[in-house]
Amino acid sequence: RIGCESCVKAERPVFGEAMHTEPRPTVLVVDDDTAVRLTLGAMIEHQGFATRLAASGDEGVAEYDRHRDEIAAVVLDVRMPGKDGPHTLAELRERDPDLPCVFVTGYAGAYGTDDLAGRGAVVLAKPVAADDLGRAIRAARGPATRGRQPPVSVPAAAETEG
């Protein structure tokens, strides 16, 4: 029975917390590496956010479309098979031009840090510490970036294959 209780533990107030808590903002995490995706999700939840996880750019866009009213920010890997992070962000920004974004990458490939940051995103290098990730999400969601996200366009030649 412990396993069943641990599944819902995150939704229950912890002893000593106020019984009426604000809903946690939800962060969409898109990374093709299962271990990284799960780790990032756990780190983000530890920082006080709820999460939705997706294994590809296409899956991330579909997840956003299903839950767009609750998603407050997106954390994207840069290099993924098929639709990479910048292309995924471009598609998401067609739906919400002000969607806050954090790119988390071990290797940006054809994209430089300045290029990624120029898309109105915070950029972190893997491996990333949980506190840094939490600060980056909060910074991306902050008033300095909301309403001022530049349009995202990605040249077709910059697409990655994996």
Side-chain angles (χ1 to χ4, degrees):
R1 304 273 342 148
I2 291 175
C4 294
E5 290 296 316
S6 66
C7 293
V8 295
K9 182 178 180 186
E11 299 303 316
R12 293 182 184 170
V14 177
F15 182 75
E17 281 186 16
M19 290 303 287
H20 302 285
T21 59
E22 295 290 320
R24 299 182 302 160
T26 299
V27 177
L28 174 61
V29 179
V30 184
D31 197 301
D32 62 306
D33 184 309
T34 302
V36 172
R37 184 173 59 253
L38 293 174
T39 300
L40 289 172
M43 290 167 60
I44 292 166
E45 288 183 5
H46 182 74
Q47 293 295 312
F49 297 94
T51 58
R52 295 220 168 258
L53 307 178
S56 69
D58 287 330
E59 189 179 309
V61 171
E63 190 72 7
Y64 181 83
D65 286 343
R66 281 190 297 273
H67 303 284
R68 71 181 311 151
D69 291 339
E70 68 185 66
I71 294 175
V74 62
V75 172
L76 290 167
D77 186 15
V78 173
R79 289 181 47 94
M80 296 182 287
K83 188 178 293 171
D84 65 8
H87 283 87
T88 301
L89 179 60
E91 196 166 330
L92 291 171
R93 290 265 175 89
E94 288 173 7
R95 290 152 171 78
D96 179 358
D98 295 329
L99 181 65
C101 176
V102 176
F103 282 118
V104 180
T105 185
Y107 174 68
Y111 306 101
T113 302
D114 290 341
D115 177 32
L116 296 171
R119 298 165 192 275
V122 177
V123 183
L124 295 176
K126 292 177 185 173
V128 61
D131 289 343
D132 293 338
L133 184 55
R135 277 191 291 275
I137 294 167
R138 286 178 182 85
R141 294 186 67 225
T145 58
R146 290 297 279 185
R148 301 185 329 135
Q149 309 297 7
V152 177
S153 62
V154 182
E159 288 190 41
T160 60
E161 300 215 4

